[in-house]
């Protein structure tokens, strides 16, 4: 699924539509029929890690529109969480798409908890607090503005079929949003711990370091959204390589300085990726999906993950990221 930087850009594309009414709908969603959004007002939008939230209210209960997260906090940069340089706000409804390609069912995430029986059975927000649309994107989910995605190549059957949008929302202001390859459900107001968001200025390095000190492979801990919200497989691979840490190294055996460096690279790569997306630049990776590392060494690839969890493809260089001896903790002077 798209990682934190991608979902933050999706949020920027949606934000200009806050305060507008839905006047026409379309899409293939069966769980939430598109017609149920007719005449609703988009009142708010928030982004938390890999999830996008949109609040809709019926016309009879309309209050002043308020985007409680109109522009995500500027992500912190570097070892001390310094503020990133001022980022340009994505343009309004004429902004073109941001995409991660086509959906892969293997990457579906089962939502935790319940969205409430009333919301699951209905097509419009239930009464009370469950008026937030939670959007979980598939591996290559995307949001387009004022245009539709078109096929860039033939599918396995040789057909040139354009992707089918999950939801299309036309607004009174004249623009429209198109959502592809995502799961949607009504939910209660989002409650998050901003200190675990890797792109937040409030990201708590101390809590992240404490989590990494567990006696388990660091590549498992990095993907735990309780501590590293928004961090996905690309960021995991890149941060580990740049820190020179083997993905199966036990956090309890790594020196404090090595763990500090790992957190630094998580934040710096994520921040650079977001800024690059906002500037229309392609993502630059050093190890992810590479056959050789920048030093010219052969790269290893294997699906790694907890015994009863997701196994994610992992790339690493045995020379640049040597495995630690299990005999004892790494000494600081070796880092």
């Amino acid at each position: 699924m798209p990682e934190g930087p991608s979902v933050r850009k999706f949020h920027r594309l949606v934000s200009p539509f806050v305060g507008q009414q839905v006047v026409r709908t379309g899409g293939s969603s069966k769980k939430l029929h598109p017609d149920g959004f007719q005449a609703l007002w988009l009142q708010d939008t928030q982004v938390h890690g890999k999830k996008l939230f949109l609040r809709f209210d019926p016309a009879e209960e309309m209050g002043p529109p308020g985007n409680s997260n109109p522009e995500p906090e500027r992500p912190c940069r570097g070892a001390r969480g310094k503020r990133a340089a001022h980022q340009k706000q994505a343009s309004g409804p004429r902004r073109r798409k941001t995409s991660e390609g086509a959906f892969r069912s293997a990457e579906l995430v089962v939502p935790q908890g319940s969205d409430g029986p009333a919301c699951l059975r209905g097509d419009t927000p239930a009464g009370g607090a469950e008026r937030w649309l939670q959007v979980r994107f598939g591996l290559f989910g995307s949001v387009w503005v004022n245009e539709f995605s078109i096929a860039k190549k033939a599918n396995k059957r040789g057909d040139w079929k354009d992707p089918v949008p999950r939801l299309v929302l036309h607004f009174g202001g004249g623009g429209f949003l198109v959502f592809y390859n995502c799961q949607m459900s009504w939910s209660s107001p989002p409650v998050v711990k901003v200190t675990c968001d890797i792109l937040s200025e409030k990201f708590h390095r101390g809590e992240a370091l404490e989590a990494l000190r567990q006696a388990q492979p660091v590549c498992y801990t990095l993907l735990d959204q309780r501590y590293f919200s928004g961090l996905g497989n690309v960021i995991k691979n890149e941060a580990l390589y740049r820190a020179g840490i083997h993905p199966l190294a036990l956090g309890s055996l790594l020196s404090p300085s090595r763990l500090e460096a790992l957190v630094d690279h998580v934040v710096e790569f994520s921040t650079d990726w977001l800024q690059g997306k906002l500037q229309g630049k392609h993502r630059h990776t050093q190890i992810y999906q590479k056959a050789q590392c920048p030093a010219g060494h052969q790269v290893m690839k294997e699906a790694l993950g907890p015994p009863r969890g997701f196994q994610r493809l992992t790339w690493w260089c045995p020379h640049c990221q040597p495995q630690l001896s299990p005999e004892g903790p790494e000494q600081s002077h070796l880092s």
Side-chain angles (χ1 to χ4, degrees):
M1 64 170 58
E3 302 183 29
S6 296
V7 181
R8 288 226 168 194
K9 184 172 184 181
F10 297 163
H11 173 271
R12 286 173 179 255
L13 298 178
V14 172
S15 293
F17 291 89
V18 169
Q20 296 189 41
Q21 186 178 33
V22 178
V23 296
R24 188 155 56 92
T25 64
S28 63
S29 176
K30 293 181 173 59
K31 182 178 179 181
L32 297 174
H33 295 301
D35 289 347
F37 291 86
Q38 187 73 30
L40 296 181
W41 290 78
L42 177 60
Q43 283 287 75
D44 198 356
T45 176
Q46 296 184 20
V47 58
H48 300 301
K50 301 179 183 179
K51 303 175 187 176
L52 181 66
F53 294 87
L54 309 177
R55 179 184 170 91
F56 291 91
D57 284 341
E60 60 270 20
E61 298 183 17
M62 264 288 293
N67 188 341
S68 63
N69 195 3
E71 180 177 356
E73 301 164 280
R74 289 197 298 268
C76 53
R77 171 185 289 274
R80 303 297 183 269
K82 296 179 180 178
R83 292 177 178 264
H86 180 68
Q87 304 166 352
K88 293 195 299 182
Q89 173 74 24
S91 61
R94 288 195 171 87
R95 182 73 177 181
R96 293 178 66 85
K97 65 97 179 179
T98 178
S99 175
E100 297 293 335
F103 181 81
R104 292 183 184 174
S105 60
E107 293 291 334
L108 281 176
V109 176
V110 178
Q112 298 179 356
S114 170
D115 295 319
C119 291
L120 292 177
R121 291 194 300 266
D123 299 330
T124 56
E130 293 178 329
R131 291 176 176 171
W132 287 87
L133 182 69
Q134 179 180 165
V135 185
R136 293 171 176 260
F137 294 94
L139 178 59
F140 296 119
S142 62
V143 175
W144 291 58
V145 177
N146 293 345
E147 61 179 331
F148 294 90
S149 174
I150 59 175
K152 297 180 180 179
K153 61 181 180 180
N155 58 27
K156 293 181 179 179
R157 297 181 178 179
D159 300 325
W160 285 77
K161 291 186 176 180
D162 294 336
V164 178
R166 191 62 51 86
L167 179 66
V168 183
L169 299 176
H170 294 262
F171 291 87
F176 63 93
L177 292 170
V178 190
F179 298 82
Y180 289 96
N181 307 324
C182 57
Q183 292 179 320
M184 297 179 170
S185 58
W186 294 111
S187 72
S188 300
V191 178
V192 296
K193 185 178 178 183
V194 295
T195 55
C196 71
D197 190 331
I198 60 174
L199 284 169
S200 171
E201 288 183 327
K202 298 178 181 178
F203 177 62
H204 198 293
R205 294 175 55 86
E207 293 178 0
L209 289 168
E210 183 178 354
L212 286 170
R213 294 190 189 103
Q214 299 178 72
Q216 70 173 7
V218 287
C219 71
Y220 300 177
T221 307
L222 286 175
L223 291 178
D224 192 328
Q225 300 299 296
R226 295 175 299 174
Y227 311 114
F228 296 94
S229 180
L231 193 152
N233 208 36
V234 177
I235 300 173
K236 177 200 77 177
N237 282 280
E238 290 299 310
L240 286 170
Y241 174 74
R242 294 162 195 238
I245 297 175
H246 193 284
L248 292 178
L250 300 183
S252 57
L253 299 182
L254 291 169
S255 67
S257 60
R258 293 292 292 280
L259 294 177
E260 287 273 1
L262 178 57
V263 174
D264 290 345
H265 286 294
V266 164
V267 173
E268 290 170 3
F269 179 79
S270 303
T271 302
D272 290 342
W273 187 3
L274 173 59
Q275 292 176 337
K277 291 185 79 67
L278 297 178
Q279 297 168 7
K281 298 179 180 178
H282 291 292
R283 181 188 66 207
H284 174 67
T285 57
Q286 296 183 8
I287 197 75
Y288 182 72
Q289 297 184 334
K290 303 292 186 181
Q292 291 185 332
C293 76
H297 306 127
Q298 186 70 26
V299 168
M300 301 292 291
K301 180 179 76 171
E302 185 178 346
L304 303 176
R308 291 178 295 276
F310 285 116
Q311 306 295 302
R312 304 299 300 274
L313 282 177
T314 304
W315 289 260
W316 75 95
C317 173
H319 182 83
C320 301
Q321 300 166 264
Q323 178 64 287
L324 294 177
S325 169
E327 297 178 357
E330 182 182 39
Q331 299 299 314
S332 295
H333 69 275
L334 296 178
S335 60

